[in-house]
Structures are given as C-alpha cells and as structure tokens.
Amino acid sequence: MSDPARGDVDAVARRLGRLRSRIRGAGGDDTVQIVAVTKGFGRWAVDVALELGLRRVGENYAQELLAKVDPARDVVGRGPEWHFIGRLQRNKVRTIAPYVALWQSVDRLRVGREIATRAPGAAVLVQLNLSGEEHKGGCDWEEAPELVGALGEEGLQVRGLMGVGPAGPAEAARTPFRRLVQLADELDLPIRSIGMSEDLEVAVEEGATMVRVGRELFGPRPTAG
Ligand SMILES: *Cc1c(COP(=O)(O)O)cnc(C)c1O
C-alpha cells in the first residue's frame, strides 16, 4: 500500500483552495460540506481526498464503489464516509449496504424498503427530479413529502433533500434549487445537497448545505463511469 503521489496531492490541494474560495465568494462558509465525487477516477482520488481532510466521498455505481473499498485502509473513524449518489437499483443495495454512510439518491419507496432491510436505521436523502428528465432519477415534487414520511416509517433517518441541476447554463438551476431549499425548510430537513462543479455558486447562493464536486477537485474525468 503506497501513499498517494505527492504531485496528485498538491494538484488537488490547489483545486480545493479554489473550490473553497468559490464557495466563500458565493456567500457560503466552512459549514458547507464538500462531498468529493470520485466516480470515474481511481482509488487514488479517494486517498488524496482523505489526505486533504475530505472524508465524504461520493460514488454513482455499486460496482465501482466495491472496487474502491479497501479493507486495509478504510479503518473505521479514519476511512472515507461513502455517499451513494447514483441511480439506485434495488438489487445492488445489499452489496454496498455495509459501506454506505449516506444514501443520497433515494427516489422511491421500494428502494427505501430495501435499504431499511439491509441497513436498518440508515441515513438517507430524498432525491428530487429537478430537470424533468426521466433518466436522471429523482421523485416528482408532489411525491416528495409523502416519500419522506414513508421512509421515516420504515425506520430510516431522512436527513435532507438532494437534486441535480438541469444541464446547460448554471442560472437554469436557480429556480429548482430555490424550490428544493424551500421544501426542505417546510419538511424541517437540514441537509440540502445541491450544486456540482458547474453550478456551485448558484447552489450556495440558494442555500446548499452540501455540494458534490468531482472535476473541480480531480480534473477532467478520464472515463464515462
Ligand atoms: C458526477 C456527479 C457529481 C459531480 O459532478 P462534477 O461535474 O464532476 O462535479 C455530483 N453529483 C452527482 C449526482 C453526480 O452524478
């Protein structure tokens, strides 16, 4: 087991500095939580994130998460806090349940029930579909309050709402981000996970408590997933 390469750590450290100043520039403070999205990058990205004090690491695919979990290094209390942020398939929940600290992309009760079975009492976010694009996942606005209630009845801890802004100019995300934050207020949910590399400022301005950032930290993504 080797430590991450010095050059990688230095490069990501510089980008992290820039990311933090973007967050501050948008009116955010140190309480805005950064999830380092390592999808498409190798295990090195997880190790670099940890070395820089970024414990929260986001993955989209069960297979990729499993390939990156390293029992030798991921010591409880010092290892990464894995966040699952991709489309959830019910039949994959079991395989990753031992590792996932926050399920960010719960968008239907069937998946929630499976999580409640495999990881009783787990912390989850409800993902909203902000773009109207079916394939991006997320539940409809009208369904969200009921889903939040039903997941609670399954014994899950619903901590907040998550959303992916629409493709295109960052400004297009402002209205849906604002609406998500309002709904989180109404439902008394503390976590608002919105904002990625491209629409970070808009998300922070609208009240993000958590941003999910990949390319802005690790550089261009080498593969599609
Ligand atoms: C890939 C991804 C991100 C990070 O995207 P970047 O453009 O690399 O910052 C954040 N959230 C979700 C749901 C993603 O799939």
Side-chain angles (χ1 to χ4, degrees):
M1 292 297 160
S2 60
D3 287 331
R6 201 69 249 157
D8 287 337
V9 176
D10 291 346
V12 178
R14 272 195 302 278
R15 294 203 194 92
L16 177 60
R18 194 173 64 194
L19 171 63
R20 291 213 162 104
S21 62
R22 282 181 67 188
I23 291 173
R24 276 194 303 274
D29 58 22
D30 292 344
T31 66
V32 176
Q33 300 181 335
I34 297 170
V35 178
V37 177
T38 48
K39 71 151 182 260
F41 301 101
R43 168 73 202 200
W44 66 268
V46 177
D47 290 326
V48 169
L50 287 174
E51 172 128 355
L52 295 173
L54 299 172
R55 293 269 321 282
R56 300 178 187 88
V57 169
E59 284 288 338
N60 287 58
Y61 303 98
Q63 278 326 104
E64 198 181 337
L65 188 155
L66 290 171
K68 284 179 196 167
V69 170
D70 181 346
R73 286 195 238 185
D74 297 347
V75 185
V76 175
R78 279 196 292 134
E81 183 186 302
W82 300 97
H83 289 211
F84 197 81
I85 63 173
R87 287 218 76 174
L88 267 167
Q89 289 169 273
R90 208 168 64 101
N91 62 349
K92 298 283 172 58
V93 166
R94 182 179 52 83
T95 60
I96 56 174
Y99 309 108
V100 175
L102 182 62
W103 304 80
Q104 292 212 13
S105 47
V106 179
D107 60 0
R108 58 200 190 280
L109 186 54
R110 267 166 62 85
V111 159
R113 286 210 174 105
E114 184 68 10
I115 295 171
T117 302
R118 305 298 178 182
V124 303
L125 306 183
V126 164
Q127 183 181 353
L128 279 156
N129 185 333
L130 303 185
S131 65
E133 290 165 86
E134 196 75 29
H135 69 278
K136 285 205 174 159
C139 71
D140 293 336
W141 293 99
E142 311 77 59
E143 297 168 5
E146 199 181 320
L147 181 56
V148 167
L151 294 170
E153 280 165 27
E154 296 292 326
L156 296 170
Q157 303 171 51
V158 185
R159 294 266 169 80
L161 301 178
M162 185 272 243
V164 176
E171 270 308 313
R174 189 176 297 282
T175 302
F177 283 172
R178 184 171 297 175
R179 198 172 161 195
L180 181 147
V181 169
Q182 270 166 8
L183 185 59
D185 281 341
E186 285 165 27
L187 299 173
D188 209 12
L189 298 172
I191 299 180
R192 299 92 204 268
S193 173
I194 48 177
M196 323 203 315
S197 293
E198 306 283 350
D199 51 21
L200 189 86
E201 282 83 359
V202 175
V204 171
E205 284 163 13
E206 294 301 331
T209 64
M210 184 178 276
V211 294
R212 307 176 310 269
V213 180
R215 290 169 300 144
E216 181 71 5
L217 278 174
F218 302 114
R221 192 167 278 115
T223 66

